[in-house]
Structure formats: C-alpha cells, structure tokens
Amino acid sequence: KATATAAAAAASSEPKPACEQAVTHFGVGWKPPADYFVEHPDLAAFFTAGAGVDHLLGLDGLPELLPIIRLEDAGMADQMFLYCLHEILRRLTLSGDYERQQREGRWVELESRPAASLRVGVFGLGALGGELARRLAAMGFSVSGFARGPHQLEGVNCLHGASQWPLFLAACDVLVLMAPLTAQTRGVIDARALAALPTGAWLINVARGALLDEAALLAALERGSIAGATLDVFQHEPLPKDHAFWQHPRIRLTPHVAAQTLIAPSARQVADKILRLQQGESVSGIVNRLRGY
Ligand code: OXD
C-alpha cells in the first residue's frame, strides 16, 4: 500500500526525473587548487573552511559575483582565546624569566603583577579578535583594540583610524595580531610600528605572516626594543628550515595551529547556511571583496 500511495503521489505531482532536476552546486574547502574556479564555473557560493580568505581572492576564474562565505567562529574563537591567553599569562607571570633563572640555577623572587597592570592590544576586532578582547577584559586585563572602523566591546578601549594607530601601539605591553590580510594590512607591523611599541613589549601573531615585516622583527629583537614574539603564522609556510626564527631565543613558534577548523561545528554552520540560501534567506559571513575580508 505504501508503495502504491507513493507512486500515486509521485505521478500526481509529475516530478522531473532526477537527471533533469536543476542541481545547485556549492563549493566548500580551504586552499583549493589554482584552477578550481575555472573548473567549477557554476557554483552558487563557495564556503571557506577557515576565517581568512586572502589566499582565495586572487585565484584565476573566481567569478566576480560569486559569494564567498567564511567560517564565523565555529569553535575557532575559543581556541584562539586559549592560545593567546596562554602566551599572555606567560608574560604576566614572568614564566620566561623564571625558566631562564632555573637554567642558570638562580633563586630570585621577581615582583608579581596584577592582570590590570598588563596592557594588551588586539589588532583586528572581528569574530575572533573581538571575542579575545572581550574575554581578556572580563578577566581584568587592560585591553584596547584597534580596527578599521569603530567598535563597541564591553571593557575594551576600541580605537580606529590612522591618527589613533600610534596611540594604540604605544599602549601595548602585549600586541596580538588578529586582523585579516588585505592590501591595507600587508606589512603593517614594520620597523616603525615595532618602534612605537613600549620597550619590552611582546608580539603575538595568530593572523597572517604577511602582516609582519619579519626582518624588522629580528632587528627589533636584536636592539632589545621588544622582548620577544610568539608566532603561529609566517610569510612562508612551512617555515623554511634555515629561517632565523627557528633557533631564536626570544621567539616561540607553532606551525599555524592557534585555531584549527573543527569539522563538526564547521559542517553544521555550512549546512545551515546552505539551507538558508536555498530558502532565499540572507546569511552572515559573506566576504566583502572590496574590503578584502
Ligand atoms: C584561518 C586559518 O584563516 O586557519 O582560518 O588561518
């Protein structure tokens, strides 16, 4: 009976055979091959399996109007927060100094500091940077943030605009880079920006290697104007074997793992957005190509 009813229903609505039905194609991926968009010219949207999109925007054949939709948080904000918090706490608790003292067999008590005494600056206040800034402020750190446009985040001194950039840098005992790589941010942490940081500042880069002038960082470390850096991203990845960063005593590095894509929440987010798009609804996370993120 069930089969008969189903057959009748099918006959009455006269659906087209599956091979004639219009199929909508969506692309999902991280670093597609260079000719991916040439080979797939008929996508309705492309979902990136990460937060950054700089590597996609220059690809051949990328249709001008194809919506590129990035992952928003999907478990990355929490990982980023924990990674940065770990490095910030090392600064606050003077772990590096105590490790050095242990190696030298020296018993010296250093003065302990409250969280509020450490000024943390977050450059980039999007889904990941905004969350980091807000959570650090809630923990009692003195937090400022810098972004392209105005932001409001509880407990965070949010700055923007060229005139506030030097003021922002001058108040960063720890500077965390969380901004996307765009034409405006490429190389923005250069010799001048590093010189604007307070003496003894620490740099954390979890965004993109090309935000930072690597030679300028080495020079600033050499001069002792900044204390050190934690780097998760590099101009060339994997970091070349002979790169000076590997053995540098003032650099801590990890292989681009500060926030990894978590399959389950990412897949849920993409599936949910596909359903919304198919129902003609709007979705968030669409990249603004002019802005570059
Ligand atoms: C990202 C990354 O952009 O992992 O998500 O770098």
Side-chain angles (χ1 to χ4, degrees), residues 63 79 81 94 109 111-112 178 188 233 235 256 274 285-286:
Q79 297 176 68
F81 166 70
L94 305 170
E109 279 181 39
E111 198 182 332
S112 68
M178 301 280 278
V188 71
V233 288
Q235 281 184 12
H256 201 144
I274 287 179
I286 297 185

Side-chain angles (χ1 to χ4, degrees), residues 30 49-52 76 207-208 256 259 261:
W30 176 230
M76 280 190 279
R208 284 291 180 266
H256 201 144
T261 300

